[in-house]
Amino acid sequence: MKKILVTGGCGYIGAHTIVDLIENGFDVVSADNNSRSNDGILAGVEKITGKAIKNYKVDLCIYDDTYAIFQENPDINGIIHFAAYKSVGESVEKPLLYFENNLNSLINILKCADEFNIAHFVFSSSCTVYGNPDEIPVTEETPQKPAVSPYGVTKQMGEQIVVEAVKCSDMQAILLRYFNPVGAHPSAHIGELPVGKPGNLVPAITQTAIGKLPMMQVMGADYPTKDGSCIRDYIHVCDIAHAHTLALNYLLAQKQKTNCDIFNLGTSTGYSVLEVIKEFERTSGVKLKYRIGPRRPGDVTAIFANNDKAKASLGWIPQFSLTDMLVTAWKWELQLKADDNLFTNQNADLN
Ligand code: WQD
């Protein structure tokens, strides 16, 4: 059984990916210092899979502590590196925190991967590397524009660091560019756990609908789009998770022709903010309290993926519709309330 180290394994996408890896025969260990996550989510992973996951509560910016994980697990075959800060807004306020955390942790992981001859590496990247694209949908070859936030810059730089690192090693890497991950595992045992007030659209919708937030804002309705609100490519987190399993299998089967390949993970369909709100109201039966507010600095007008490459090479076909995404997100929010917010993260509000 191949053992995979999942960094950021207590995070939203990390936990969903661990479920998919286990269901596809992998053995998994997690490394997550829980600075922005809650290891209680691994109890949810165990409810779904029956497997208890070991989490190393380690700051990956500390090389010796990171190295110790590999010493204790010499049978690690591959790494999926999620661990990073990811709040666009916070990165604008604290750019150096983002460069220090996101890049130092990546460099330490890559140094250990080299020391321990790890052959396979999957890097969690983001559509934010495209900046404000001139044309959509974007393919993996679409030229990158300047990122719109320091968070996006850390993803652009992170990709370049991986590309250069694998050039002088025997490791093979895949960069996965997520569009907008949303929704929750259908069991409602795991889901998104925003720290503080949610910055992302779907948790803002569900927290407003359940009454955690009194009102939400549509951040701009004067964009040059069909209804004036921004367009994004929302993709179910379980589809994103399965893409990681397929990427690892692709590497393990040595199907990759180059030492570093890139794949867009989106549905290739764009929805506006107002369309998402309308679909949520339709599926949940809840009338959402929102108002039209000013544009949010750093938002791109519209972006969605051309996902042909992931379909052709990885055999990846998104299974979940926008309705499924919103139904599972709402089911998770209702479960959190029923569990009296069991997992609510006690971290300071990151507003
Ligand atoms: C989507 C749209 C907002 C909240 C970011 C990162 C990306 C990925 C996902 C990590 C925008 C609007 C939002 C609200 C709103 N992160 N919105 N009211 O900014 O597209 O992507 O998160 O992997 O890398 O860049 O996602 O959900 O924040 O915003 O109107 O309360 O919803 O203005 O148009 P975004 P988002």
Side-chain angles (χ1 to χ4, degrees):
M1 185 184 276
K2 301 282 186 200
K3 181 185 270 190
I4 305 299
L5 169 64
V6 175
T7 73
C10 298
Y12 172 45
I13 305 174
H16 284 84
T17 299
I18 290 176
V19 167
D20 200 89
L21 289 169
I22 292 168
E23 289 178 343
N24 286 277
F26 287 95
D27 184 17
V28 177
V29 287
S30 167
D32 192 317
N33 66 357
N34 299 141
S35 62
R36 301 295 169 88
S37 63
N38 185 314
D39 58 6
I41 201 165
L42 295 180
V45 170
E46 186 170 357
K47 278 185 193 158
I48 298 167
T49 64
K51 282 277 182 75
I53 301 297
K54 178 170 180 53
N55 179 56
Y56 288 86
K57 196 163 184 162
V58 161
D59 181 350
L60 300 176
C61 292
I62 300 168
Y63 179 73
D64 291 348
D65 294 353
T66 306
Y67 187 91
I69 299 170
F70 290 85
Q71 269 183 319
E72 204 173 298
N73 297 274
D75 53 344
I76 290 173
N77 294 97
I79 299 168
I80 302 179
H81 182 58
F82 290 107
Y85 295 158
K86 65 132 198 153
S87 166
V88 171
E90 187 194 27
S91 76
V92 172
E93 290 157 24
K94 303 173 185 171
L96 296 181
L97 175 72
Y98 270 66
F99 288 117
E100 180 181 52
N101 181 70
N102 291 6
L103 300 182
N104 285 352
S105 53
L106 171 62
I107 290 165
N108 281 344
I109 280 286
L110 288 170
K111 284 166 71 175
C112 290
D114 193 37
E115 286 276 322
F116 289 86
N117 301 311
I118 308 293
H120 311 297
F121 187 84
V122 178
F123 178 63
S124 166
S125 191
S126 165
C127 62
T128 197
V129 303
Y130 295 108
N132 216 335
D134 292 332
E135 52 182 64
I136 46 176
V138 292
T139 71
E140 291 81 357
E141 286 67 49
T142 297
Q144 292 185 18
K145 305 288 287 297
V148 294
S149 69
Y151 161 74
V153 175
T154 69
K155 289 301 180 185
Q156 288 178 332
M157 292 172 76
E159 287 194 354
Q160 289 163 28
I161 290 168
V162 174
V163 167
E164 294 304 325
V166 296
K167 273 181 190 166
C168 51
S169 80
D170 295 330
M171 188 163 75
Q172 284 210 316
I174 283 181
L175 313 178
L176 294 178
R177 291 176 179 167
Y178 316 147
F179 281 68
N180 284 58
V182 296
H185 191 273
S187 67
H189 289 316
I190 58 175
E192 194 166 5
L193 288 165
V195 177
K197 185 167 181 275
N200 294 134
L201 176 64
V202 172
I205 288 174
T206 58
Q207 288 196 15
T208 302
I210 206 148
K212 265 189 190 171
L213 297 173
M215 165 85 69
M216 70 163 280
Q217 278 197 65
V218 172
M219 296 176 181
D222 59 351
Y223 286 93
T225 62
K226 51 189 150 183
D227 60 18
S229 62
C230 291
I231 291 172
R232 294 290 184 274
D233 186 336
Y234 298 95
I235 174 81
H236 197 284
V237 64
C238 290
D239 279 326
I240 293 274
H242 190 55
H244 290 75
T245 301
L246 294 173
L248 276 175
N249 286 333
Y250 184 69
L251 289 170
L252 289 163
Q254 288 161 359
K255 289 183 182 170
Q256 185 150 290
K257 309 281 180 296
T258 65
N259 56 13
C260 188
D261 213 344
I262 303 172
F263 297 97
N264 282 341
L265 298 183
T267 63
S268 77
T269 302
Y271 288 101
S272 75
V273 173
L274 289 170
E275 283 176 325
V276 173
I277 288 174
K278 254 183 223 86
E279 182 57 9
F280 176 80
E281 291 181 324
R282 186 187 73 81
T283 55
S284 65
V286 175
K287 185 89 183 80
L288 200 67
K289 295 191 191 85
Y290 69 89
R291 67 181 183 82
I292 305 294
R295 293 184 177 191
R296 178 172 71 176
D299 271 338
V300 302
T301 301
I303 186 167
F304 52 91
N306 174 315
N307 63 7
D308 291 345
K309 190 177 171 191
K311 283 181 173 175
S313 299
L314 303 181
W316 180 69
I317 310 285
Q319 301 295 309
F320 294 81
S321 66
L322 178 69
T323 303
D324 298 327
M325 297 175 211
L326 296 170
V327 165
T328 54
W330 183 228
K331 188 179 169 192
W332 167 244
E333 192 68 66
L334 290 167
Q335 185 63 50
L336 279 177
K337 185 171 184 181
D339 291 348
D340 195 18
N341 295 323
L342 186 59
F343 293 116
T344 304
N345 192 300
Q346 306 309 319
N347 287 39
D349 187 334
L350 283 176
N351 200 339

